[in-house]
């Protein structure tokens, strides 16, 4: 029975560790995305705007760091009693929230795994119930978790993990998320992302009509719609089935000056297109507006379309123009779409034949030295090679490998210490036996 308890505890510990590490990491490398989701929750409970943006962003970074650290601490059995208590409390709160989501559906996607994995609210509840059970097991038998790092060296893992995950969030805020799980990632064709495959299920709707006759009111559908003797009162349409929703379903561009929809014009353009993305110009960072103006001049020289996509008001556009001297045309696009396209305000997108070729944060815009040749001959005009494997390798090199080396060194040190104790005990036993033998010999004389 004891062995079964030990196996169960360590299996639960592994499930919790892997889930929390993945969940915390994908949120930590996309702190703005986590912030947007937190703001959705605040809006759902009627607290939208109560916390300033810096506060919600700070909470997002700390929440992701907490999840990631808990996962690592459980995996390496760091402060196992305290960690198991915090893990159980965390999962109890998350489970209560998921019950609220499943029953009332205030937010469609819980955001548990950022944009990497989407779960329905029911799936989220089931997932949290499993994790809560696992947390209860390790809370009950924390000492049955196998230790990988000696207590004397645990401080190294604690500090290294906290430093790494916080720096990962800072890097993603300053540049862009290391991994992009959104539908506008580099290499994605926006037009194809908007397409609905043949045979895909379409959304279904049911319309009911409220009709009156002889002082009586009754509901009808299209199938049993009454004759003209009935007087129309009201109607309502309810979606009964969602059907297939394409990855990109809300992308549209409307020229601010003319009001024309130029979405097809942009996506069907054979060649390059620059899109400056700013959900809110009033909150945009204007530090590098000189580089943006220089890019626009380069685009003009090369005959490349250049648009600024925003959801801002006319006053905000005018203020930005007065501040930066912007001459590029402004277009209106949905705020949520713009936040999804790029995690930077402003950020720059380069399209070629409707495909995302490159993305830049406002802190890493192309410099003048890169704008001396046509785009087709320039490095910025070429799609970067698929670097997912390289990015994973860097994570391994900078985080996983040091922990593995520390674990190996710690176990070797613990093993050598155990060997020394055994050798000392053996020497002590031999010395004791020799002493006893000599005493017997002296007595026999």
């Amino acid at each position: 029975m004891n062995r079964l308890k030990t196996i169960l505890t360590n299996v639960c510990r592994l499930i919790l560790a892997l889930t929390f590490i993945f969940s915390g990491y994908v949120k930590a490398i996309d702190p703005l995305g986590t912030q947007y989701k937190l703001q959705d929750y605040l809006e759902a409970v009627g607290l939208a705007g109560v916390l300033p943006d810096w506060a919600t962003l700070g909470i997002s970074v700390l929440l992701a760091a907490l999840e990631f650290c808990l996962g690592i601490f459980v995996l390496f059995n760091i402060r196992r009693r305290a960690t198991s208590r915090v893990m159980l409390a965390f999962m109890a709160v998350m489970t209560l929230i998921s019950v609220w989501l499943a029953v009332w559906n205030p937010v469609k996607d819980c955001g548990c795994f950022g944009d990497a994995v989407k779960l329905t609210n029911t799936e989220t509840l089931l997932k949290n119930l499993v994790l809560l059970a696992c947390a209860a097991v390790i809370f009950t038998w924390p000492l049955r978790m196998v230790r990988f790092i000696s207590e004397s060296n645990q401080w190294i893992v604690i500090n290294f993990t906290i430093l790494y995950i916080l720096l990962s969030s800072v890097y993603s805020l300053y540049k862009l998320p290391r991994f992009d799980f959104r539908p506008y990632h580099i290499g994605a064709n926006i037009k194809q992302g908007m397409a609905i495959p043949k045979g895909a299920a379409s959304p279904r709707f049911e319309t009911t009509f409220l009709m009156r006759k002889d002082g009586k009111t009754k509901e009808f559908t299209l199938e049993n719609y009454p004759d003209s003797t009935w007087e129309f009162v009201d109607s309502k349409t309810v979606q009964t089935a969602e059907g297939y929703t394409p990855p990109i379903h809300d992308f549209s561009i409307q020229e601010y000056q003319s009001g024309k929809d130029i979405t097809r014009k942009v996506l069907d353009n054979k060649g390059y297109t620059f899109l400056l993305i700013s959900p809110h110009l009033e909150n945009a960072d204007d530090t590098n507006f000189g580089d943006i103006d220089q890019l626009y001049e380069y685009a003009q020289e090369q005959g490349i379309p250049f648009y600024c996509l925003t959801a801002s008001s006319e006053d905000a556009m005018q203020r930005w123009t007065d501040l930066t001297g912007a001459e590029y045309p402004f277009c209106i696009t949905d705020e949520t779409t713009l936040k999804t396209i790029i995690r930077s305000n402003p950020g720059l997108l380069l399209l070629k034949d409707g495909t995302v070729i490159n993305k830049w944060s406002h802190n890493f815009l192309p410099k003048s030295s890169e704008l001396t040749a046509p785009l087709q001959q320039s490095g910025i005009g070429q799609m970067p090679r698929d670097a997912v494997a390289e990015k994973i390798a860097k994570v391994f090199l900078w985080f996983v490998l040091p922990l593995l080396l520390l674990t190996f060194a710690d176990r070797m040190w613990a093993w050598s210490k155990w060997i020394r104790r055994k050798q000392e005990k053996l020497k002590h036993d031999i010395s004791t036996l020799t002493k006893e033998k000599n005493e017997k010999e002296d007595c026999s004389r």
Side-chain angles (χ1 to χ4, degrees):
M1 180 58 71
N2 286 335
R3 185 178 180 183
L4 183 60
K5 289 179 181 178
T6 300
I7 293 173
L8 177 62
T9 303
N10 284 280
V11 169
C12 290
R13 163 233 201 136
L14 186 61
I15 293 172
L16 285 167
L18 295 180
T19 303
F20 271 66
I21 290 171
F22 179 72
S23 175
Y25 184 76
V26 296
K27 287 203 280 282
I29 62 170
D30 187 11
L32 286 177
T34 307
Q35 179 191 29
Y36 298 152
K37 183 55 64 176
L38 178 60
Q39 290 171 341
D40 288 343
Y41 278 101
L42 291 175
E43 184 177 352
V45 295
L47 296 177
V50 172
L51 295 177
D53 288 345
W54 64 265
T56 54
L57 181 59
I59 293 172
S60 301
V61 170
L62 293 177
L63 178 63
L66 174 62
E67 282 194 56
F68 184 80
C69 290
L70 281 175
I72 293 295
F73 295 169
V74 168
L75 181 64
F76 283 87
N77 209 359
I78 306 294
R79 304 288 189 267
R80 47 191 172 184
R81 287 190 178 90
T83 299
S84 62
R85 294 190 192 106
V86 175
M87 181 71 80
L88 181 61
F90 186 90
M91 281 313 309
V93 173
M94 291 297 106
T95 304
L96 288 176
I97 293 175
S98 61
V99 170
W100 171 58
L101 292 175
V103 175
W104 283 280
N105 197 37
V107 179
K108 286 189 176 180
D109 172 40
C110 69
C112 304
F113 301 110
D115 288 297
V117 179
K118 299 288 186 179
L119 297 177
T120 65
N121 288 335
T122 301
E123 291 170 341
T124 299
L125 176 58
L126 295 175
K127 180 261 297 180
N128 283 349
L129 288 173
V130 172
L131 295 181
L132 179 62
C134 291
V137 170
I138 68 167
F139 172 78
T140 305
W141 300 305
L143 300 184
R144 292 187 179 276
M145 291 189 285
V146 180
R147 178 173 283 158
F148 295 146
I149 298 289
S150 303
E151 284 190 85
S152 58
N153 290 325
Q154 288 183 0
W155 68 271
I156 302 175
V157 179
I158 294 172
N159 292 314
F160 179 64
T161 300
I162 294 173
L163 181 65
Y164 175 81
I165 200 64
L166 291 179
L167 287 179
S168 295
S169 291
V170 171
Y171 173 88
S172 298
L173 282 171
Y174 190 71
K175 197 176 181 182
L176 287 175
R178 186 180 296 274
F179 297 94
D180 191 348
F181 301 105
R182 286 158 284 132
Y184 299 93
H185 59 82
I186 293 176
N189 184 279
I190 297 178
K191 198 172 179 180
Q192 292 177 3
M194 297 169 66
I196 298 178
K198 290 183 178 179
S202 301
R204 293 197 297 271
F205 301 88
E206 183 179 87
T207 302
T208 56
F209 303 89
L210 195 63
M211 312 293 287
R212 183 185 296 120
K213 182 179 180 181
D214 299 332
K216 295 181 179 180
T217 303
K218 188 177 179 181
E219 276 193 357
F220 296 90
T221 64
L222 286 172
E223 285 73 20
N224 64 345
Y225 195 83
D227 56 40
S228 58
T229 60
W230 287 81
E231 178 188 357
F232 174 81
V233 177
D234 196 7
S235 68
K236 63 179 179 180
T237 301
V238 178
Q239 185 173 351
T240 58
E242 289 191 1
Y244 175 81
T245 302
I248 300 175
H249 54 275
D250 49 8
F251 182 83
S252 67
I253 305 173
Q254 184 181 12
E255 271 188 330
Y256 171 70
Q257 291 292 343
S258 65
K260 291 172 56 179
D261 188 304
I262 60 170
T263 309
R264 287 297 174 189
K265 176 184 175 182
V266 171
L267 297 182
D268 292 339
N269 178 52
K270 298 299 181 183
Y272 294 99
T273 303
F274 279 112
L275 298 179
L276 181 67
I277 309 295
S278 177
H280 293 291
L281 286 166
E282 55 270 33
N283 300 327
D285 191 308
D286 57 10
T287 307
N288 301 303
F289 72 86
D291 292 336
I292 298 173
D293 292 341
Q294 188 177 43
L295 274 164
Y296 177 65
E297 292 174 4
Y298 169 79
Q300 291 289 93
E301 293 171 1
Q302 299 293 326
I304 300 171
F306 190 110
Y307 304 96
C308 176
L309 275 53
T310 183
S312 296
S313 64
E314 181 180 1
D315 291 341
M317 294 182 201
Q318 187 59 52
R319 180 182 176 279
W320 179 263
T321 301
D322 295 340
L323 186 66
T324 66
E327 298 179 355
Y328 36 80
F330 291 95
C331 298
I332 305 299
T333 300
D334 177 70
E335 173 190 352
T336 303
T337 301
L338 295 176
K339 289 179 176 179
T340 305
I341 291 174
I342 192 168
R343 302 298 201 211
S344 178
N345 187 19
L348 186 68
L349 202 70
L350 178 61
L351 303 182
K352 184 179 182 183
D353 302 335
T355 297
V356 180
I357 295 295
N358 221 326
K359 287 182 174 186
W360 295 273
S361 157
H362 62 82
N363 294 310
F364 286 87
L365 294 170
K367 301 301 180 183
S368 56
S369 58
E370 301 176 274
L371 304 175
T372 56
L375 277 181
Q376 55 268 28
Q377 301 173 13
S378 170
I380 65 173
Q382 312 303 317
M383 186 182 298
R385 58 191 175 85
D386 184 12
V388 173
E390 182 180 336
K391 292 175 182 176
I392 294 175
K394 287 181 178 178
V395 173
F396 180 85
L397 180 65
W398 290 104
F399 183 71
V400 179
L401 184 60
L403 287 183
L404 290 177
L405 292 176
L406 173 63
T407 303
F408 178 75
D410 181 88
R411 292 299 88 195
M412 289 298 293
W413 176 80
W415 180 74
S416 62
K417 188 177 179 181
W418 178 80
I419 292 295
R420 286 196 298 272
R421 284 201 305 267
K422 287 293 184 180
Q423 289 176 339
E424 290 172 0
K425 185 177 183 302
L426 181 61
K427 289 179 181 179
H428 179 269
D429 291 343
I430 293 175
S431 175
T432 301
L433 289 173
T434 303
K435 186 177 180 181
E436 290 177 353
K437 181 179 180 182
N438 292 335
E439 288 177 353
K440 288 181 180 180
E441 290 179 351
D442 289 342
C443 290
S444 63
R445 292 174 185 172

